[in-house]
Structures are given as C-alpha cells and as structure tokens.
Amino acid sequence: MSPRIQAPRGTYDVLPDDAARRDAVEAAARRILGGAGYGRIETPAFEATELFARGVGASTDIVQKEMYTFEDGGGRSLTLRPEGTAPICRAYVEHGMSRLPQPVRFWYFESFFRYERAQAGRYRQFWQLGAEAIGSADPLVDAECILLLAELLDAVGVREVRLRLSSLGTAETRAVYREELQAYLRRHEDQLSEEVRNRIDLNPLRAFDADHPGTREVMRGAPLLLDRLSDEDAEHFAAVRALLDDADLQYELDPTLVRGLDYYARTLFEFTSDALGAQSGVAGGGRYDGLIEQLGGPATPAVGFAAGIERMLLAAGEHPVAAMPVDLYVAYATDGARHPAFGIAREARRAGLAAQVELAGRSLKGQLRQAGRLGARFVAIVGDDGATLRDMESGEQEDVEPGRVIPLVLRREKSL
Ligand code: ATP
Ligand code: MG
C-alpha cells in the first residue's frame, strides 16, 4: 500500500459537521456588520511581499518569522496573506476609494497564513472575521467598531469575555515616548532578557509583553505612553471611552497593551476569553491612521478589528447549532418510480423547500429509516400509480397525485 498523505502541520479540514457552526458565525457577521453598513470584501490569498513588509512592519514577529514567502515562476516575491488590514488598504488605494463618501467600511471572513508553532487555538492556516472603517478619524467610528465586535462575540456565544483598551497616541507622540522608553530600558539593560535587550532599538514597546521576570520587574517602573498623550489624542481617547461607557460596555484600561502589528495609532483594543487557555486572545484591533499613506495612498485615518474564528468557537464551547432542517424526503416504492421521485425532489428545491431524494437504493423500509435519521418533516413515497404523503410528526398520511406533493407540503409548512 502507498503511504498515506496527511494534511500539513497546523492545518485542518472543516468537515460538514463543523461547517454549520462556522456558517452561524458568518451569518452573525453578515447580519451585524452588514446591518451597520459594512460591505463584504475578498482580497487575493497572496500579495506582493513588499505590502506586508511595509504595511505590517519590518520589526514585527509576523514579518520577521511568520510569513509564507515564495518566488513565483516570474521571479516575483509573493507572500500568503498573514493578516487582512494591509491588503484591504491596498485595495482601497488601488480602486481610488478615497473618492467615495467616507468612511468606506468593509468586513471579511477569510483564511490567513502564519508559520507558527501549531498548538490548540494556533494554526498555520486560520480564519479571521474582521472589519475596517476607512476614512474617518471620528471617535464614533472607534467606539462603533468596538461595540460591533462585542455584539458579534456575544451573538456567537463567546464566554467570559474581557476587553482591554488603551491609546497609543499618534506617531509623533509615540516617537518621543519611544526615545524616553529606550533611555529607560538602557539604564536597566543588565536586568532585561536578551531578547528584549536586542530589541531596544527596533521595538522597545514589546518589552511590556515579556514573560521574563527581570524584565517584568523593570517594566513595572517604566514610563507609560498613556501618560504622555498629546491633548488632542487624550481628548480623542476620552471621547471613545465616554461612548463605550454610555453603551454600558465593560473594559479595563491597560496602558501596557501592545499588539504585534506596527501600524496602530491612538485607540487599541483586545478581547480575551478566560474560557481559553494560553492562547486567550480572541480578537483585537485599533486605529491605524498612518498606514494608507505608508502604502502610497493619501493620508487617511482608519480603524478596524480582526477576530479569530477557531478561538471564537473554542471560547463559545459546545453549544449545538441546529442542523439544516429537511422539509421533504422523497422515497420511491418501485424501480419505475425512481425518475418521478428524483424529479419531485428537484422541483421541490426550486420551490424553496429543503428536499432530498433517496440516493442509495435502500429498501422502502430503509428509505423511511433514513428520512427519520434526517429529521425530515414530510416524506413522499412515490409509486407506479400515485404517491403517499406522510406527515412525520403526526404520523398521518394520505394518498395524493404526485403533482400535489409540493403544493401540499408548501401549504402545511406555511400553516405550521
Ligand atoms: P497572538 O498574540 O495569539 O499571537 P496576534 O496578536 O498575533 O495573536 P492578531 O494578529 O491580532 O493576533 O489576530 C487577531 C486574532 O486572530 C487573534 O486574537 C486570534 O484570535 C487570531 N489568531 C492570530 N493568530 C492565529 C493563529 N496562528 N491561529 C489561530 N488564530 C490566530
Ligand atoms: Mg501572533
């Protein structure tokens, strides 16, 4: 026997039983985000590597070690998308969407690729549900984004949710603060982990993320960006918080919040779930006012979020999603009735019913058992001269003309 081939490490198959729960998440997104004026967008699975190098930030974990980068036949360097924001900003610029009424709002449900250590809640191909609102700096947009995400997590049933919130200020504030933090880190260099020490120049903010005990001790006394915000940024942040307070959304202010993407400015947030283990991050996002300009577009303020589908489902637990109900199962009593039965099922679907026909040549008894397994509401048994329609709930049955099966089911479905 030939050796069996397995799915690559860090990937998984979505089997039909799992698909129902994912469909429910997608439907919630369509309802909640679509209803708020967000339109669906899909971008290519791979992009020019340069997009992520510039858009995500050269110093980030994603760009430094997690990208699937390859050269295509024409010698171009391409990368499987590791996140959704940079591609959507690229599309916004490419299609001249700054000419549309602002903000332009998008949502997506796509898979992303990162070369990471595969474990529970961490995959190499994973799915995210996200949204971006591009073209407005108004704090209303930040608050709306956060509230829509909270509503989504609630609709999906994510348990024990916690929201952490901070503001990074603008790029200028951050640059000044960065120097202050770098000077502070250098003064305590001997107590820091090697990784943090090596990153003082490149990404000093990540020091707040470290698990290393010495580093953590040093960081307890570190200056905080939240205390250094310009008046304008502080006002913007206060406005966002006031809107969340009015909406009764609970959050913790966390001045040490950092996220693994370089493009954030001002509002920054992360939703975690205590129902998850080590990989507790369910969703995150923030404002990224400088990104579009960095990608060669006009200076454009924007805000967005991304939520991990696998972690949302894990944190939602095993609450069952109803299987697709079957309105009509079409059985046949004789070989000669196979074709008429097939035709009735097809017609029924065109009439809007969920209808299936026997496909495995079972005995009539076996067909009825199969209809029962599927939970079919009605069964039509087609014979050589006529049909019998059985109501599976009441057990009642009557002989009918084959042409009457669909109208009868439609009428009774409606009156139920
Ligand atoms: P983490 O800190 O867990 O690595 P992250 O900061 O890299 O997360 P983001 O890039 O902000 O995550 O992505 C948003 C969400 O996408 C995360 O909160 C998480 O739910 C999900 N996510 C990120 N990476 C993975 C992955 N490799 N597998 C599954 N889900 C992921
Ligand atoms: Mg990560």
Side-chain angles (χ1 to χ4, degrees), residues 61-62 66 114 116 122 126 206 260 279 311:
D61 278 353
I62 293 181
E66 295 175 359
R114 295 183 194 175
E116 303 206 64
R122 191 177 292 288
F126 59 100
R206 288 310 292 264
Q279 323 303 332
R311 292 191 205 169

Side-chain angles (χ1 to χ4, degrees), residues 28-52:
R30 183 169 292 116
R31 177 170 58 78
I32 292 168
L33 298 172
Y38 288 68
R40 185 148 186 186
I41 185 168
E42 285 182 36
T43 60
F46 54 83
E47 298 267 1
T49 301
E50 175 69 11
L51 174 66
F52 301 113

Side-chain angles (χ1 to χ4, degrees), residues 126-129 153 281-284 306-314:
F126 59 100
W127 270 256
Q128 281 183 343
L129 160 58
L153 297 178
V282 175
I309 301 302
E310 296 82 8
R311 292 191 205 169
M312 281 171 97
L313 291 175
L314 268 175

Side-chain angles (χ1 to χ4, degrees), residues 37 51-52 85 116 155 184 186 213 218 226 239 248 264 273 295 338 347 375 379-380 385 414:
L51 174 66
F52 301 113
T85 302
E116 303 206 64
Y184 175 84
R186 282 204 192 90
V218 172
L226 212 44
D248 270 331
Y264 288 114
S273 166
L295 296 176
R338 282 165 56 87
E347 282 299 317
V379 177
D385 17 64
K414 222 178 277 161

Side-chain angles (χ1 to χ4, degrees), residues 136-138 141-142 236 263-267 285-289 301-303:
S136 169
D138 197 312
V141 192
D142 305 56
H236 190 274
Y263 47 58
Y264 288 114
R266 290 192 159 173
T267 314
R287 183 164 275 289
Y288 51 92
D289 292 346
V303 56

Side-chain angles (χ1 to χ4, degrees), residues 101-324:
Q102 308 292 302
V104 184
R105 285 160 295 170
F106 308 96
W107 72 276
Y108 60 86
F109 188 109
E110 287 179 334
S111 66
F112 295 92
F113 307 86
R114 295 183 194 175
Y115 187 71
E116 303 206 64
R117 209 162 69 81
Q119 52 197 293
R122 191 177 292 288
Y123 299 91
R124 291 178 175 173
Q125 179 178 5
F126 59 100
W127 270 256
Q128 281 183 343
L129 160 58
E132 316 287 352
I134 303 181
S136 169
D138 197 312
L140 288 177
V141 192
D142 305 56
E144 188 180 79
C145 245
I146 295 170
L147 288 165
L148 287 170
L149 176 52
E151 198 181 328
L152 254 169
L153 297 178
D154 190 52
V156 173
V158 176
R159 297 165 299 167
E160 297 176 63
V161 171
R162 220 198 270 262
L163 166 60
R164 290 185 301 148
L165 187 65
S166 191
S167 174
L168 296 173
T170 46
E172 299 79 60
T173 314
R174 227 159 129 191
V176 176
Y177 166 75
R178 207 179 134 101
E179 279 177 25
E180 183 186 358
L181 181 62
Q182 281 169 334
Y184 175 84
L185 291 173
R186 282 204 192 90
R187 281 203 300 281
H188 297 86
E189 211 160 334
D190 51 331
Q191 290 157 264
L192 301 175
S193 75
E194 197 187 327
E195 203 193 347
V196 169
R197 219 181 310 139
N198 289 338
R199 288 228 243 175
I200 293 181
D201 286 323
L202 207 54
N203 198 348
L205 270 167
R206 288 310 292 264
F208 285 111
D209 242 2
D211 291 326
H212 177 258
T215 306
R216 290 182 72 98
E217 180 58 38
V218 172
M219 295 322 285
R220 266 193 274 282
L224 296 175
L225 180 52
L226 212 44
D227 298 329
R228 300 288 185 272
L229 298 186
S230 70
D231 290 348
E232 230 179 295
D233 293 344
E235 221 170 88
H236 190 274
F237 191 43
V240 174
R241 277 158 44 203
L243 289 160
L244 298 181
D245 292 339
D246 282 352
D248 270 331
L249 187 71
Q250 304 291 312
Y251 57 82
E252 298 158 36
L253 274 191
D254 182 353
T256 69
L257 186 60
V258 282
R259 309 206 54 255
L261 302 151
D262 267 1
Y263 47 58
Y264 288 114
R266 290 192 159 173
T267 314
L268 189 70
F269 53 89
E270 181 160 56
F271 283 85
T272 55
S273 166
D274 292 343
L276 297 175
Q279 323 303 332
S280 65
V282 175
R287 183 164 275 289
Y288 51 92
D289 292 346
L291 178 58
I292 290 182
E293 202 174 7
Q294 216 167 302
L295 296 176
T300 312
V303 56
F305 68 75
I309 301 302
E310 296 82 8
R311 292 191 205 169
M312 281 171 97
L313 291 175
L314 268 175
E318 278 305 314
H319 72 113
V321 172
M324 179 87 174

